[in-house]
Amino acid sequence: MQAPEGFRYIDIHTHLHPERLSRAIRKWFAERSDWKLEYPTEPELVAAFLRDHFKGFKFHINVQRFFPDDPRVLPVYERLLALDRFLLIHVGSAPWPNAFDGFPRFARVMDMFPRLKVVVAHMGSFETRQFMQLMERCPNLYLDTTMAFAPVRPEHRAIDTRLNRISVTNDDLLRWQDRIVFGSDFPNLPYAYEEEREALWLRDLPLPVYRKIFHDNAAALLGLA
């Protein structure tokens, strides 16, 4: 299936950093992966791109190096609940695990705050199945699609993202269609931005499902619905 003309998207997973931090991030990927990151990182250019595409923010357990159930962090979750806001968090063990990420300690957070609005980045890779099981008892837990399906073009298929090595079926997408949101990781992409969307359109799901995943679910989270 192809996107109908005028189809609207919300990208819930992007990055905007000061230039010094962007350079450090690019250096890190250059030293540890074969990713070729070509999108600009200058804050003004990134902001201009995002202004045309998305509003939001993200926490990254692996990079920020704190445990999600650290007692010092619990007041943040309490505040989010009080304000009816949501948290986007990279807490799955992909792509380069360390001691801070992974499923079990995040599950403890959701046991304490089962109604907290949370978007788990990258479909929870590599613990996607466990996050889906957790969604059954946490009504406000979402997964974003970032890098979980792309790349799709032959020239990019050899890229090792370590994030799209998961098995998400169309039945999974249909079952959780109300709690999956589109994300890209822009501008930290080793392939064309459009591949993030193209990979999902190739699944040939019903159009109403695409409207939810690409727009409606995120619009509701962001208060745009």
Side-chain angles (χ1 to χ4, degrees):
M1 180 182 290
Q2 293 185 341
E5 186 176 353
F7 191 88
R8 300 178 65 194
Y9 299 86
I10 294 177
D11 185 345
I12 206 163
H13 184 150
T14 57
H15 299 265
L16 177 62
H17 302 296
E19 184 59 23
R20 181 181 176 186
L21 179 55
S22 293
R23 287 197 300 269
I25 292 170
R26 290 292 169 93
K27 183 176 184 290
W28 193 95
F29 279 109
E31 292 173 348
R32 292 167 173 80
S33 77
D34 59 354
W35 295 18
K36 188 176 181 181
L37 306 177
E38 298 181 326
Y39 282 101
T41 59
E42 294 83 354
E44 295 79 8
L45 296 177
V46 176
F49 183 95
L50 297 182
R51 192 176 299 116
D52 293 334
H53 293 77
F54 172 67
K55 301 176 182 178
F57 67 95
K58 169 193 173 185
F59 290 166
H60 198 310
I61 294 296
N62 184 294
V63 172
Q64 293 173 288
R65 302 178 70 82
F66 65 88
F67 293 110
D69 62 342
D70 188 313
R72 294 171 295 178
V73 183
L74 302 186
V76 175
Y77 306 133
E78 294 170 354
R79 185 66 172 163
L80 288 169
L81 275 172
L83 295 176
D84 194 28
R85 303 290 177 85
F86 78 95
L87 170 69
L88 194 154
I89 185 169
H90 183 148
V91 70
S93 62
W96 293 280
N98 66 17
F100 296 95
D101 51 28
F103 177 80
R105 299 189 74 146
F106 174 76
R108 293 176 199 155
V109 171
M110 297 311 297
D111 286 340
M112 289 184 279
F113 305 98
R115 301 196 67 82
L116 185 66
K117 292 182 180 179
V118 181
V119 177
V120 174
H122 305 290
M123 297 293 289
S125 302
F126 296 118
E127 292 78 34
T128 301
R129 289 291 155 197
Q130 295 178 67
F131 282 104
M132 286 184 175
Q133 291 174 1
L134 188 60
M135 290 165 73
E136 294 178 0
R137 67 174 191 269
C138 298
N140 297 320
L141 182 61
Y142 295 73
L143 303 180
D144 85 29
T145 66
T146 304
M147 288 194 177
F149 303 97
V152 296
R153 296 174 191 168
E155 63 268 31
H156 295 141
R157 284 179 180 163
I159 293 173
D160 177 15
T161 69
R162 304 190 182 203
L163 286 164
N164 57 2
R165 298 178 185 175
I166 62 174
S167 177
V168 177
T169 68
N170 279 14
D171 286 341
D172 294 326
L173 296 175
L174 289 170
R175 178 181 181 186
W176 299 112
Q177 60 184 276
D178 294 318
R179 291 211 261 141
I180 295 175
V181 290
F182 169 68
S184 72
D185 237 349
F186 182 87
N188 298 325
L189 295 174
Y191 44 77
Y193 180 79
E194 292 303 318
E195 290 203 30
E196 295 286 347
R197 298 187 289 196
E198 184 180 350
L200 282 165
W201 284 111
L202 288 172
R203 291 296 187 112
D204 201 27
L205 300 167
L207 184 58
V209 175
Y210 283 118
R211 294 193 189 281
K212 291 179 181 180
I213 292 175
F214 280 130
H215 184 273
D216 295 353
N217 295 340
L221 278 171
L222 294 168
L224 302 177

